[in-house]
Every structure is written in C-alpha cells, then in structure tokens.
Amino acid sequence: MLAQDVIGDLKRLVGPANVLTAKEDLLCYSFDGTAALQQMPGCVLFVSTTEEVAKVLTFANAAKLPVVTRGSGTGLSGGSLPSPDCIVLCTVRMAKILELDRANLTMMVEPGVTTLQVADAAAAAGLFYPPDPGSMKISTIGGNVAENSGGLRGLKYGITRNYIMGLEVVLPDGEILWTGNKCVKDVAGYSLKDIFIGSEGTLGVITKVLLKLIPKPAAKKTMVATFSQMDHAADAVSAIIAAQIIPCTMEFLDRTTIHCVEDYAKIGLPLDCEALLLIETDGHPAAVADEAARMEKICREKGCMEVRMARDTAEADKLASARRSAFSALARVAPTTILEDATVPRSELAKMIRFVAAVAKKYQLRIGTFGHMGDGNLHPTFLTDERNKEEMHRVEEAFKEIFDEAIRLGGTITGEHGVGLAKKSFLPKFLGDAQMRVHRELRHILDPNGILNPGKMFD
Ligand SMILES: Cc1cc2nc3c(=O)[nH]c(=O)nc-3n(C[C@H](O)[C@H](O)[C@H](O)COP(=O)(O)OP(=O)(O)OC[C@H]3O[C@@H](n4cnc5c(N)ncnc54)[C@H](O)[C@@H]3O)c2cc1C
C-alpha cells in the first residue's frame, strides 16, 4: 500500500479523478498479456501531458518510488506488470495524433495512440505505416516503441525501430529530452533515440513519437499454401527467399493452430494439412503479379498440397485473419496459454520447428506453433493450466531447452516480445558479460535511483 500522503501528493499532481486506488480498480492493472504473472500496484495514474509525466517522475524520483509505465497492457513478457506498491503510470489518455506532415512523410503522435489508429491515419492520407503487431487494434505506439515490436510485415518492411525518426522522453529525474528530427540523414552525436527503442520502460517515459511513413503499395496479392509436411513448408520459405523474392508477409500455422483457428473463426481453412503458409506480396501491380506467380510455382515444386489465391480484398482479409486470430484461437482451448518467441536465422527454421515438436513430446505438453516464418520468428504456444504446478514445471523445462537450442542455432531468446520478467533469467547467458555490464551502467546513469520498471529485464 502506498501511504495516504503519497496518494494525496499524486492526486495534487494529476488531479484526483486520474488516480485509481480502489482494490477492484487496481486488480485490472495487476497483469498484462503474459500468462501466470500477477502483482497488485500501489496506485494507477492516468497522465495527459508531458508536463504531468515530468512532475510525476520528479516526485517519484525524489521519494524513490517505483514507477511502471503502461500502455494497453498487451505485452507478452511481463513488461508492464506492476512491481509491488509501484505507481502505474498509464499513457493511454495521451492519445492525440499531433501532426501528419505530407511534405516530409512523417506523423507526430502521443504515446497512447493505438497502432491501428496510426495505420488508419496514414492510409487516409494515402500513406503507409507498415509495423503491424498482431495486437495492433489495441497496442499503443508507446508500447510498440518500448518493446521495439515487430509484426506480420516485418520481413519486407522491418520493425518499429525502422519507423522512428524522433522521440520525446521524460527521464527518470523528470527532465524532458527530445532526440531525433525530420531529417532523413543526421549523424550529429550518438543516436540516443535508439537507446530508448526497445528499452521496455526502464530508461524513460516516451511522451511523443515522430514516425516515418512511406508511400502506400499500389497492389497486393494474398495466397494460402498448404503442406502435408512442415519441412516442405520450411523448404518453400527458404526457396522463395533464395529466389530473391521478399514478400511482405510469410506466416505459418501448424496443424494444432489451424484446427483451433478454424474452430474459432470459421474461415474455411483446409484441415487435412500439417502446415499452412499465408503469403502476401505488395508493390507495383506488375511486380506483385510476377512475384505471386513465382511463389505459387515454388510452393508447388516444394510439394504443397494446394495454393489458394485470394480473388478479392474481402477474401484476402479473411485469409489474413486466420493468422491474426491464431493466439486468440489457441487461448480458447486451455486455461493458460504461454506464447513464446524464440527466433533463429531463417536457414535454421526447419531444424528449430522439429526441435520444438520433439521437446513438446519429451515433456508431454500440448503445443501449437505459428509465427513469422519469413523472419525465423516462431511462436511455440504451450496450452496448459497454471493451477497444475507439475505441468507448469514441465513447461518451464521445455522452454529452457527451446531457448538454449535457439541460442545454439545462432538465434535469440526473443524476436519481438521483449525480455521483461519472463526472459530475464535468460538474458545474461545470451548477452554475455561485456554487454550486461554496458546495459547495467547505462541504466544506472539514466536512472541512478532505479525507479523505472525495477526488476525488469535485469537487476
Ligand atoms: C494477441 C496479441 C498479439 C501480439 N502480437 C504481437 C506481434 O505480432 N508482434 C509484437 O512485437 N508483439 C505482439 N504482441 C505483444 C504486445 O502487443 C506488444 O509488445 C505491444 O507493443 C505492447 O503495447 P502495449 O501498449 O500494450 O504496451 P504494454 O504492454 O502496456 O507495455 C509494454 C512495455 O512497454 C513499456 N511502455 C509502455 N508505454 C510506454 C511509454 N509511453 N514509455 C515508456 N515505456 C512504455 C511498459 O513499461 C512495458 O515494459 C502481441 C500481444 C497480444 C496480446
């Protein structure tokens, strides 16, 4: 519990209506999208301006109170999980699109704007904001920057970092820092904005984001290819990349996921296959037609059972929704869904998929795997029940093996969901001593009192 005088001070800083302290309200902010993690905060604050954020951090820093910044709470590594008796600083009401600059192809937004609102505003201006995490309907841009989120279009267009031109950040002591600008080129000083991208709420609170937009692709084609063997699907992906085709999306679902999605969304997916690839190509109409034809040919050569080409936008959206609903569909079949994002170089994908299946068998666990196949980014998803302690132990052991194997194959412990609490114990082994030391020193310089997101990423 936070002391009453502290609550009183916070109410004076942001207004009493913007401070939640009732147990039933705090409960809603005691978890994020990560399974099996929960912690009650001391209070929840809604901030509306950069100045309010600065006042709150100045106060918290002086009083050495922990602050956990929160967007929509969809994070999958426990990043916005409260620390005990912390202030949850929620940015969802900082939700204005401040400027769309058509001359420079940029958009300035507050952190609480959702990813979808950004994408829609760009599209309304005939432009394109490509990063599209599966959670984009509700995830905030602040959360996307803090997690350096990826998405389905990462293969061709990159991830959030590739679209950040500038950031306004409130540092832990309350100082307001602006880094970056609208220049396409700028090499003056260290690229400080890059330190805050992916910093998971540990180095500052992001209060404005200057985004890069690009021209909207003129055409798009969507297809679904089904395979009787996962290896054939992985081979098709490798062959497409080797043919120097970079589709904007190359996602896959395994058999368990296909069945769950079909049961949930009734899309009409074929149920007699082991793997399904959802492929989208976009760009100039002639290039799109050519790439689609070449990819269809490659899939057939690699032994696919069927290729279904979407006839129109409605059908394309329906097929794409198969992948977008994968997590929700899997979440329906078991009380606890633990979704991970082990990532390997694309050349190692088939090996990694086989390894995940073998680990699930070894530990007798139910697993559905889907993911961004073109990026080597897998989402092995264990369907379990957190009340079953013995099974949860087996899940933990299985994940340890999966992450060890990902590292062994030259991959990473997280391709997009971040370290947070969930991957904290794996980080030192992955980064090594020198990188861990620089991480610690950097954090200590910016946050000497350790008030921002304490206990996350590393101690
Ligand atoms: C169904 C589903 C699908 C998903 N699909 C994807 C996907 O395809 N790709 C992907 O990368 N992720 C995905 N995610 C994970 C998640 O949506 C992303 O990490 C997203 O960026 C989190 O945004 P949020 O607003 O919910 O942030 P939160 O969960 O609230 O916070 C995430 C982290 O960011 C920090 N943070 C939030 N706002 C700020 C701010 N203004 N300043 C500083 N730090 C801040 C928090 O402290 C925390 O550490 C998915 C999640 C779900 C539930």
Side-chain angles (χ1 to χ4, degrees):
M1 276 290 289
L2 283 173
Q4 278 312 310
D5 57 333
V6 170
I7 300 285
D9 287 338
L10 291 171
K11 284 184 175 170
R12 270 188 289 283
L13 291 179
V14 298
N18 297 314
V19 181
L20 302 180
T21 53
K23 192 175 172 198
E24 57 275 26
D25 289 331
L26 300 187
L27 208 54
C28 307
Y29 296 85
S30 64
F31 53 88
D32 67 1
T34 322
L37 292 177
Q38 191 170 18
Q39 173 65 53
M40 288 292 270
C43 69
V44 176
L45 299 191
F46 294 97
V47 281
S48 302
T49 63
T50 301
E51 289 65 34
E52 274 182 5
V53 175
K55 279 189 215 164
V56 172
L57 290 192
T58 306
F59 172 80
N61 192 47
K64 297 193 171 56
L65 291 171
V67 177
V68 176
T69 313
R70 184 181 177 100
S72 291
T74 63
L76 292 172
S77 56
S80 58
L81 190 87
S83 44
D85 290 335
C86 74
I87 299 168
V88 167
L89 189 145
C90 193
T91 56
V92 287
R93 292 189 190 159
M94 297 180 77
K96 286 196 278 294
I97 294 179
L98 300 169
E99 182 197 62
L100 196 149
D101 180 344
R102 289 166 200 263
N104 285 303
L105 305 189
T106 61
M107 192 192 293
M108 179 82 87
V109 299
E110 291 186 330
V113 175
T114 65
T115 324
L116 184 64
Q117 285 167 338
V118 167
D120 284 350
L127 292 164
F128 188 31
Y129 177 70
D132 59 341
S135 51
M136 68 186 293
K137 281 187 189 164
I138 47 169
S139 66
T140 65
I141 280 291
N144 291 176
V145 176
E147 295 287 356
N148 191 16
S149 295
L152 278 63
R153 301 186 192 116
L155 173 60
K156 177 170 175 179
Y157 291 105
I159 53 178
T160 302
R161 183 185 298 282
N162 305 113
Y163 295 87
I164 307 300
M165 297 187 77
L167 292 176
E168 182 186 77
V169 182
V170 182
L171 299 176
D173 66 358
E175 187 180 4
I176 300 168
L177 171 145
W178 173 259
T179 165
N181 52 49
K182 292 184 182 177
C183 296
V184 174
K185 292 167 127 184
D186 172 15
V187 295
Y190 298 139
S191 182
L192 289 186
K193 72 177 164 55
D194 284 294
I195 293 170
F196 294 100
I197 301 168
S199 64
E200 302 189 17
T202 62
L203 301 181
V205 178
I206 296 153
T207 45
K208 284 193 187 79
V209 186
L210 179 65
L211 297 165
K212 176 173 104 175
L213 306 175
I214 61 173
K216 204 167 156 184
K220 182 161 96 171
K221 259 192 191 301
T222 303
M223 64 174 97
V224 159
T226 49
F227 296 82
S228 60
Q229 288 182 38
M230 183 60 82
D231 276 9
H232 294 173
D235 284 348
V237 170
S238 302
I240 287 169
I241 304 285
Q244 297 182 17
I245 304 170
I246 304 292
C248 81
T249 300
M250 194 142 58
E251 299 288 310
F252 91 102
L253 310 181
D254 74 353
R255 187 184 184 82
T256 306
T257 313
I258 296 166
H259 280 252
C260 289
V261 167
E262 189 50 29
D263 198 33
Y264 170 61
K266 312 271 183 287
I267 291 164
L269 299 176
L271 297 174
D272 57 346
C273 58
E274 280 303 313
L276 176 156
L277 287 183
L278 168 77
I279 307 174
E280 290 179 319
T281 164
D282 67 359
H284 186 280
V288 165
D290 174 62
E291 283 185 0
R294 285 166 65 209
M295 288 193 290
E296 181 177 354
K297 186 164 172 274
I298 291 172
C299 287
R300 292 196 191 285
E301 282 167 5
K302 294 295 170 189
C304 84
M305 298 161 67
E306 189 198 347
V307 177
R308 181 166 146 196
M309 196 75 73
R311 283 176 300 256
D312 49 32
T313 317
E315 194 181 354
D317 289 346
K318 204 169 157 190
L319 293 176
S321 73
R323 165 59 184 89
R324 290 198 182 277
S325 56
F327 182 41
S328 319
L330 286 167
R332 288 169 75 231
V333 297
T336 308
T337 322
I338 305 189
L339 179 140
E340 280 304 344
D341 67 334
T343 303
V344 291
R346 288 180 287 223
S347 55
E348 306 298 327
L349 204 54
K351 248 183 250 169
M352 191 66 201
I353 291 172
R354 276 195 298 271
F355 185 82
V356 169
V359 167
K361 199 168 169 195
K362 173 177 168 188
Y363 288 98
Q364 297 175 313
L365 294 164
R366 262 180 97 193
I367 191 167
T369 300
F370 61 97
H372 314 292
M373 203 154 194
D375 305 347
N377 184 189
L378 299 179
H379 291 312
T381 305
F382 283 106
L383 310 174
T384 177
D385 183 346
E386 64 189 277
R387 293 164 299 187
N388 182 341
K389 300 293 172 218
E390 186 275 324
E391 184 168 290
M392 288 300 280
H393 177 69
R394 277 188 278 134
V395 170
E396 274 170 31
E397 292 302 307
F399 274 130
K400 274 187 209 152
E401 289 202 24
I402 288 172
F403 293 134
D404 280 346
E405 180 68 1
I407 296 174
R408 204 185 63 77
L409 293 174
T412 170
I413 55 172
T414 170
E416 55 181 20
H417 295 161
V419 176
L421 268 186
K423 308 276 178 66
K424 188 177 148 177
S425 61
F426 300 98
L427 193 68
K429 179 174 177 190
F430 179 63
L431 290 185
D433 292 345
Q435 286 203 80
M436 282 306 294
R437 181 182 59 74
V438 176
H439 270 69
R440 288 203 177 92
E441 288 179 5
L442 188 63
R443 188 163 173 180
H444 185 69
I445 287 169
L446 289 172
D447 186 13
N449 291 326
I451 63 160
L452 277 189
N453 225 353
K456 304 291 172 58
M457 259 184 158
F458 53 88
D459 289 318

